[in-house]
Amino acid sequence: MFSQRIKIALKQHISDYLSLYTFVTGLILMGIIFGAIVVNCLSYESKSNLLHYLQQFFGELAQHQIAEPQALFKESFLHHFQLILLIWVLGLSIIGLPVIFLLVFIKGMFLGFTVGFLISQMGSKGLMAVLVSIFPQNLIILPNFLFIAVLSVAFSLKMIRQLLMRTRKHPLLPQFINYAIVLAAVCFVAVIASGYESYLSPALIRIFIS
């Protein structure tokens, strides 16, 4: 019964914000494509230096010389939390919309650059590294990121309509409380993603390296 209600609510949510999801997803895809193109624009020296650092990281990981999983978890979650909180705060401001869209594009660009660099420099091994170390956690991170970005944009647009156009049909406080609950839910999902990045991903990469 509870799961059925969640499915109905999720279906209604996607229906209500389908245009925003389409736009934000398009921005991420554009960022991914742009990031992959940037890889080809790098000089040979830059590519060699990046590949050296990457091989050094893999070597340290194979020899268990990287930080403990607890430290990795703290660093990973702090990174996700800062980005989520920034987008959430931007959703509270009228002028935050373009910055949210820029962050979405940059998120896609970094992902596209990372995937493009690994595959272009390591070939099939790079593809395997992507499938092991990048693809699984992004199945959690990207939908979570899309969700908070869309809700922040929607909340900002709602504030613009209610504060500037004086069409305040609903009080702002309950809406703000719901918006805060969304932040808590997204942070909980970020904890799961950070747990994968810190505990499971390094172990899978070690298997891949061996």
Side-chain angles (χ1 to χ4, degrees):
M1 185 67 179
F2 181 71
S3 61
Q4 187 68 23
R5 290 173 61 185
I6 292 178
K7 289 179 182 178
I8 294 174
L10 184 61
K11 185 177 179 180
Q12 184 63 43
H13 166 78
I14 294 175
S15 176
D16 292 341
Y17 300 108
L18 182 60
S19 58
L20 277 178
Y21 273 109
T22 303
F23 181 74
V24 173
T25 302
L27 270 181
I28 284 186
L29 291 177
M30 288 174 59
I32 290 173
I33 294 171
F34 183 79
I37 293 173
V38 169
V39 174
N40 295 323
C41 299
L42 291 177
S43 64
Y44 175 78
E45 183 180 357
S46 298
K47 290 181 180 178
S48 298
N49 289 334
L50 285 173
L51 185 61
H52 171 71
Y53 291 135
L54 184 63
Q55 290 171 338
Q56 187 176 21
F57 167 75
F58 281 150
E60 292 175 353
L61 183 62
Q63 298 173 15
H64 299 270
Q65 293 178 353
I66 64 170
E68 291 296 319
Q70 295 86 347
L72 291 175
F73 176 83
K74 183 179 179 180
E75 183 179 349
S76 174
F77 177 72
L78 184 62
H79 167 74
H80 293 311
F81 176 73
Q82 288 174 339
L83 182 58
I84 289 168
L85 184 62
L86 176 59
I87 292 175
W88 188 84
V89 171
L90 288 170
L92 295 173
S93 63
I94 297 173
I95 61 174
L97 279 178
V99 184
I100 293 174
F101 292 143
L102 179 62
L103 289 173
V104 169
F105 180 82
I106 292 174
K107 178 74 172 178
M109 187 182 70
F110 276 117
L111 180 60
F113 180 86
T114 304
V115 173
F117 181 79
L118 284 170
I119 295 177
S120 66
Q121 297 301 304
M122 299 175 64
S124 59
K125 293 181 180 179
L127 178 61
M128 285 297 298
V130 169
L131 294 176
V132 168
S133 63
I134 297 176
F135 181 72
Q137 62 246 39
N138 274 284
L139 286 177
I140 305 173
I141 294 170
L142 280 184
N144 199 42
F145 182 76
L146 276 172
F147 181 73
I148 188 63
V150 167
L151 264 293
S152 298
V153 170
F155 191 82
S156 182
L157 290 174
K158 193 176 296 183
M159 286 185 62
I160 292 174
R161 286 195 297 267
Q162 295 192 10
L163 296 178
L164 296 184
M165 300 180 183
R166 301 184 183 280
T167 58
R168 189 175 298 181
K169 297 180 181 179
H170 305 286
L172 284 176
L173 182 59
Q175 297 180 56
F176 176 79
I177 293 174
N178 290 334
Y179 191 49
I181 293 173
V182 167
L183 175 64
V186 170
C187 287
F188 175 75
V189 176
V191 168
I192 298 174
S194 297
Y196 179 90
E197 287 181 329
S198 307
Y199 292 91
L200 292 178
S201 185
L204 291 175
I205 295 175
R206 288 190 189 99
I207 295 173
F208 160 74
I209 292 172
S210 64

